[in-house]
Amino acid sequence: MIRIAPVDEVKGSLKAPPSKSYTHRAYFLALLAEGRSKVLEPLFSRDTLATLEAIKTFGALVDRDSIVPPGELSAGYINALESGTTARFSVAIAAIAKGKTTIDGIGRLRERPFDGLVMALQSLGVKVLGNRLPIVVYGGSVEKRKVEVNASKSSQFASALLLLASRIGLEVEIVNPVSRPYIEVTLKTMEAFGVEFERFENKISVYPGVRGTKFNVPGDYSSASFFLAAGALYGKVRVENLQRDDPQADAKILDVLEEFGANVRVGRSHVEVERNELRPLNIDCSDFPDLFPVLAVLASYAEGKSVITGRQLRFKESDRIHAIAVNLARAGIRVRELQNGLEIWGGKPKGFEVVSFNDHRIVMAMAVLALGADGETIVRDEQVVSKSYPNFFEDLWRILQ
């Protein structure tokens, strides 16, 4: 259990942890490559460790930062734990692993959708059983070289097929995608591994061939967003290890913070955010849904009504619309659930006991909310942050000292 007391000011600096999104993609591309790869400064979290175990099941040899791919991929049993990225990428890659592969998970991951990805694989002639975990894939060969994927529920469906395409060659047509920047992250990582492709509107023709390489994992805007928000609300925070032109979806936090009224200064490899007059938000975060919890925290302190929406917010590690609504109400903030988001009337939160919903981003967002609350806030499930950011609370204390 962690107790968070309100602070007068937040001031400090820290280094952004490595990107979870890039780490997942680099590990899978190293699995698919010809020759050894090195993935340097990866994120070690529950989700990325699930991916490491998955690529080992597929036959990769992993020795610290070095990954040696197998000649042929092995079928087997993969437990993705609660990592949607691990599970969805594994379902696609299992199409070329000869034999029967079962992909499973735990908790809410068993409720999250896979239908768009499964239908796309089936259209390629792959035998796939199940639309939710556990899913069984009978792999070995892919009959066709063109596929259409409906990515309206998750961009991971498209990214999974692009990774598959990097090994076998495919034309991937992406229909109605959410979270488009995550697809850009996939393509950028593929380029780093020597994959060649051509784009025409929503069609991407990927040529087969992945080269082993040395890949340095960039810093993570998703994790950094909590501290940047703390700077905007309570003082001044500088976060190192953030690249200026990175296509990460959650780099959008910089634009949002400026719209919110904060002072934002962007360097070549750092971002500094300082408190200023706060304004309500009216924003659709369908392309950057992982920012939704921290955007709700910002809105909680801005006088007036904010509206924050997104297409897939109820299909994440928790129903994040409901999870945030419950916690804000407990903190004394007026909030109303919409089908696709929240209306939030900002004010002065009070101390409360956080309901985690077993969601790492809910806990991290509520910890930031607590810093300016009137009274003490209690977090009982602090360990859930290990899914993406095991050192979150250590870094939080660093900027409070």
Side-chain angles (χ1 to χ4, degrees):
M1 182 178 72
I2 286 178
R3 297 178 181 272
I4 303 174
V7 297
D8 294 327
E9 185 181 41
V10 169
K11 194 169 185 179
S13 65
L14 68 152
K15 181 181 179 182
S19 163
K20 183 159 75 90
S21 296
Y22 278 110
T23 300
H24 282 304
R25 287 155 175 79
Y27 281 155
F28 273 101
L29 284 161
L31 166 73
L32 299 172
E34 293 180 11
R36 180 189 302 263
S37 294
K38 285 196 171 185
V39 179
L40 304 176
E41 294 195 47
L43 175 70
F44 292 113
S45 69
R46 285 192 71 210
D47 278 11
T48 58
L49 291 174
T51 282
L52 266 183
E53 291 304 313
I55 68 170
K56 288 178 185 177
T57 298
F58 282 125
L61 298 177
V62 180
D63 182 13
R64 296 186 180 178
D65 59 11
S66 181
I67 298 171
V68 179
E72 292 186 358
L73 269 64
S74 306
Y77 175 81
I78 291 170
N79 183 355
L81 300 177
E82 294 179 286
S83 172
T85 308
T86 306
R88 287 160 175 162
F89 289 4
S90 294
V91 167
I93 300 308
I96 51 174
K98 190 172 183 179
K100 174 185 173 182
T101 297
T102 301
I103 300 95
D104 203 354
I106 61 175
R108 185 167 165 87
L109 185 55
R110 281 189 156 202
E111 302 171 23
R112 296 174 69 182
F114 284 72
D115 49 354
L117 175 59
V118 169
M119 290 176 65
L121 290 169
Q122 289 172 337
S123 75
L124 288 170
V126 181
K127 184 179 179 182
V128 185
L129 304 180
N131 276 321
R132 295 183 187 245
L133 298 184
I135 289 173
V136 177
V137 181
Y138 293 89
S141 64
V142 177
E143 297 174 2
K144 301 177 182 177
R145 288 297 178 266
K146 289 185 179 182
V147 65
E148 177 183 297
V149 58
N150 183 336
S152 61
K153 293 181 181 177
S154 175
S155 66
Q156 291 172 359
F157 299 167
S159 289
L161 289 165
L162 290 170
L163 294 176
L164 174 64
S166 70
R167 177 67 172 253
I168 65 173
L170 278 177
E171 179 185 284
V172 182
E173 182 175 355
I174 304 169
V175 178
N176 198 25
V178 292
S179 308
R180 289 174 183 268
Y182 286 97
I183 298 171
E184 299 303 321
V185 168
T186 302
L187 293 171
K188 182 177 180 180
T189 315
M190 287 164 55
E191 284 183 314
F193 279 81
V195 181
E196 297 181 358
F197 54 87
E198 295 179 357
R199 307 174 69 169
F200 181 73
E201 295 181 347
N202 62 335
K203 293 182 181 179
I204 304 174
S205 294
V206 183
Y207 301 99
V210 185
R211 294 198 301 268
T213 192
K214 187 180 292 185
F215 183 82
N216 285 279
V217 177
D220 190 18
Y221 273 94
S222 300
S223 297
S225 67
F226 299 100
F227 298 100
L228 298 175
L233 290 171
Y234 313 118
K236 185 177 179 181
V237 172
R238 177 182 172 115
V239 182
E240 305 284 351
N241 195 33
L242 294 176
Q243 301 305 312
R244 178 184 293 173
D245 298 321
D246 198 302
Q248 289 181 54
D250 292 343
K252 184 68 176 178
I253 187 66
L254 305 183
D255 296 333
V256 175
L257 288 172
E258 285 192 328
E259 179 185 338
F260 183 60
N263 292 324
V264 179
R265 289 177 284 277
V266 182
R268 188 173 175 183
S269 60
H270 76 273
V271 175
E272 190 172 80
V273 176
E274 188 172 8
R275 178 174 51 194
N276 199 359
E277 185 177 348
L278 310 182
R279 297 190 288 266
L281 299 171
N282 192 331
I283 193 164
D284 179 352
C285 59
S286 294
D287 279 344
F288 40 94
D290 284 344
L291 287 183
F292 175 72
V294 77
L295 297 185
V297 171
L298 293 172
S300 298
Y301 281 94
E303 291 291 341
K305 185 176 82 169
S306 293
V307 181
I308 309 172
T309 58
R311 278 195 277 165
Q312 69 280 51
L313 300 174
R314 294 192 185 273
F315 302 103
K316 304 295 285 184
E317 283 85 340
S318 66
D319 175 344
R320 285 188 174 155
I321 293 172
H322 180 65
I324 290 291
V326 166
N327 279 286
L328 293 189
R330 290 169 73 94
I333 296 297
R334 182 182 167 200
V335 60
R336 186 168 80 91
E337 282 194 41
L338 309 173
Q339 179 57 39
N340 64 338
L342 292 176
E343 292 178 339
I344 300 168
W345 287 263
K348 176 69 171 175
K350 63 182 182 181
F352 68 109
E353 184 168 325
V354 174
V355 183
S356 75
F357 290 86
N358 197 35
D359 189 328
H360 54 134
R361 298 198 195 280
I362 299 298
V363 169
M364 290 188 282
M366 292 306 109
V368 173
L369 181 80
L371 297 178
D374 185 8
E376 185 181 71
T377 295
I378 295 173
V379 182
R380 295 192 184 278
D381 299 335
E382 73 275 8
Q383 73 282 352
V384 303
V385 302
S386 65
K387 187 176 195 296
S388 65
Y389 196 167
N391 296 326
F392 171 78
F393 283 104
E394 288 88 338
D395 285 348
L396 183 65
W397 306 146
R398 186 170 292 120
I399 64 168
L400 299 181
Q401 294 175 353

